[in-house]
Amino acid sequence: MAIHDCDSQPGLRPYLDAKHDMLTRLDAITDNEPVSLDQSLNRILADDIYSPIDVPSFANSAMDGYALRATDAVTDAALTLIGTSLAGHPFNGRVGPGECVRIMTGAALPLGADAVVMQENCRSEHNIIYPRGAVTEGQNIRQPAEDLAQGERVFAAGTRINARVLSVLSSLGLEQLYVRRPLKVALLSTGDELKSPGELLAPGDIYDSNRIGIGAMLERLGIRVIDYGIIKDDPALIRQAFLKAASEADALITSGGVSVGDADYTKQVLEDVGRIGFWKLAVKPGKPFAFGHISDSPFFGLPGNPVSAAVTFHLLVRPALAKLAGETLKPTPLLQAKALMPLRKSPGRMDFQRGMVSTQADGSLGVVAAGSQSSAVYSAMAEANCLLHLEQDRGNVAEGEMVTLELIDGLYW
Ligand code: AMP
Ligand code: MG
């Protein structure tokens, strides 16, 4: 009961409420820039994209076989082969009654023909082709505009250009696109104990992992990172860094110092030089997450514990950066899986435990906790492939109960 009471602290903002509130206080950048198609991967479309052409622009064959007139393919039909249509080398004549043309996948359908019979269904002897079985008009033909019609809206502004989107944009023949300019985000860690990779650890020191890990996530999101390094737990230095960062960047991300310890100055300085939107959230890990503004720049104060920093980045900063960058995020698919082991959970905060989900022998999903759920144990996080969404009011999860989760592998972290 004591643990429960401790977690049910009044004044903690529920996750979805805080997220909604935060998003309403953010405005997207409006600056656009042209990029060539081959430089557009991972950028955000500034405009809706309409197809300038029909795709495909001509009727073509979906098979290797013979182009003919469907009405000619009667029982015992014998068709005269009059030519060949290869991809990129159309047949220039016309297919008349009793005739056919050898045709390869992607090759233009010759005039006069209205069907393609796959070669496995034909017998060929001395330039005479004997099709087998019934042939219907349009069979094995890809019609013009079957994929996309000229003038059709293909992508909406706000779409992130991934490899699949890029492939479709390429099929339209576009050479240049307008995209949002990349966001510039200032990133810094606070803590007297933090050392950079390569430095020697003095007693009590640890290596800074948040700046590296969060920086990597930002880079994968196509964001320009301005690295402010490690700032000591000194309000004057923190203040100086915050003001400089706010003047240089579209947003500021810090880690550490947002709790209530003696050397936790982040929130205090934020209140001093800017405005705090909210602080304490009813989430685990990541209760002390600070959101606010310094002049016009949004401020995201991540907790110091690396797991809390990464999880709150995903839960709150990722959607915030999408809004700032003008990116439309698709809703995250949530899956149901059976807990294959008991999970400890106290009511009061939504708990985003790190898990490993896998497909069971019967095809259903099963999930186990990925190692320690302590927010200070980052190694378990790297092993995880999913984030459990354990509801705020839920208590312990017994083995066999269903839980909600989202997949995190293959995203940006
Ligand atoms: P704080 O939020 O500053 O109280 O830090 C909470 C815990 O996270 C402490 O154990 C810190 O040493 C640790 N921590 C803070 N910043 C980092 C960082 N950048 N990398 C790794 N651990 C950190
Ligand atoms: Mg600290």
Side-chain angles (χ1 to χ4, degrees):
M1 202 54 205
I3 293 167
H4 179 150
D5 285 343
C6 174
D7 259 349
S8 300
Q9 295 165 29
L12 297 186
R13 293 283 297 273
Y15 166 54
L16 289 178
D17 176 44
K19 178 174 155 186
H20 179 265
D21 177 27
M22 174 187 71
L23 292 177
T24 59
R25 298 196 216 185
L26 298 172
D27 297 314
I29 55 162
T30 49
D31 311 342
N32 303 334
E33 60 190 33
V35 288
S36 60
L37 187 81
D38 59 2
Q39 295 299 309
S40 67
L41 183 66
N42 217 13
R43 304 296 299 270
I44 311 297
L45 283 175
D47 303 317
D48 290 349
I49 299 288
Y50 294 89
S51 182
I53 54 170
D54 284 341
V55 181
S57 57
F58 55 93
N60 66 89
S61 179
M63 293 285 174
D64 295 331
Y66 296 91
L68 44 68
R69 298 145 51 100
T71 48
D72 282 356
V74 291
T75 317
D76 297 331
L79 306 178
T80 308
L81 187 63
I82 59 164
T84 303
S85 181
L86 300 175
H89 302 280
F91 173 75
N92 285 325
R94 168 180 269 279
V95 176
E99 294 176 342
C100 68
V101 159
R102 177 91 174 114
I103 193 166
M104 299 299 144
T105 305
L109 186 72
L111 287 175
D114 59 16
V116 169
V117 181
M118 57 196 276
Q119 64 190 31
E120 291 85 342
N121 289 343
C122 294
R123 190 164 58 83
S124 147
E125 231 172 75
H126 305 113
N127 279 351
I128 304 294
I129 305 300
Y130 303 91
R132 277 192 294 267
V135 177
T136 53
E137 200 182 311
Q139 175 176 311
N140 295 323
I141 290 173
R142 301 170 181 155
Q143 298 297 346
E146 187 179 289
D147 190 343
L148 295 165
Q150 183 179 13
E152 182 177 339
R153 194 177 79 163
V154 187
F155 296 112
T159 300
R160 180 178 290 270
I161 303 175
N162 61 25
R164 289 168 291 135
V165 171
L166 186 59
S167 181
V168 174
L169 291 171
S170 307
S171 78
L172 305 180
L174 299 175
E175 240 185 316
Q176 201 188 52
L177 305 161
Y178 277 85
V179 294
R180 301 278 190 208
R181 76 161 167 81
L183 284 181
K184 274 182 298 183
V185 170
L187 180 62
L188 61 88
S189 294
T190 66
D192 284 350
E193 76 281 31
L194 301 178
K195 288 283 187 299
S196 290
E199 291 182 328
L200 279 183
L201 295 183
D205 286 350
I206 60 168
Y207 288 115
D208 176 5
S209 50
N210 288 340
R211 201 163 42 90
I212 318 299
I214 301 294
M217 297 181 196
L218 292 170
E219 260 171 42
R220 289 202 56 190
L221 290 168
I223 287 168
R224 302 266 150 86
V225 178
I226 312 175
D227 188 353
Y228 276 72
I230 297 165
I231 311 292
K232 293 280 179 200
D233 290 318
D234 173 336
L237 293 176
I238 294 173
R239 182 192 164 96
Q240 196 185 346
F242 282 13
L243 288 173
K244 183 155 187 286
S247 72
E248 285 187 345
D250 297 310
L252 172 53
I253 300 175
T254 71
S255 83
V258 276
S259 203
V260 289
D262 290 345
D264 288 337
Y265 298 117
T266 301
K267 176 176 156 271
Q268 181 189 314
V269 174
L270 172 63
E271 275 175 323
D272 198 21
V273 298
R275 312 177 296 284
I276 192 154
F278 55 80
W279 180 41
K280 296 188 160 186
L281 297 179
V283 300
K284 187 179 178 199
K287 181 172 68 175
F289 171 95
F291 167 70
H293 278 84
I294 296 176
S295 54
D296 286 339
S297 289
F299 176 98
F300 306 98
L302 305 176
N305 275 316
V307 175
S308 314
V311 170
T312 51
F313 180 92
H314 179 64
L315 295 176
L316 291 150
V317 185
R318 167 73 179 112
L321 294 175
K323 171 118 194 232
L324 293 175
E327 177 186 9
T328 312
L329 283 186
K330 293 186 182 134
T332 306
L334 294 176
L335 309 178
Q336 296 293 313
K338 186 183 281 183
L340 300 177
M341 59 188 281
L343 304 169
R344 284 182 57 112
K345 158 86 172 72
S346 309
R349 289 197 270 163
M350 211 173 159
D351 194 345
F352 295 91
Q353 297 193 13
R354 283 69 62 208
M356 284 181 292
V357 63
S358 57
T359 306
Q360 305 303 292
D362 66 358
S364 67
L365 296 177
V367 64
V368 294
S372 165
Q373 293 298 321
S374 159
S375 57
V377 178
Y378 199 50
S379 53
M381 175 97 194
E383 226 175 88
N385 67 2
C386 68
L387 205 55
L388 273 58
H389 289 213
L390 301 177
E391 299 77 2
Q392 183 165 322
D393 296 333
R394 195 163 181 176
N396 286 327
V397 176
E399 185 179 334
E401 279 184 39
M402 296 304 283
V403 292
T404 302
L405 59 84
E406 72 172 291
L407 299 175
I408 60 171
D409 258 357
L411 301 179
Y412 60 91
W413 57 326

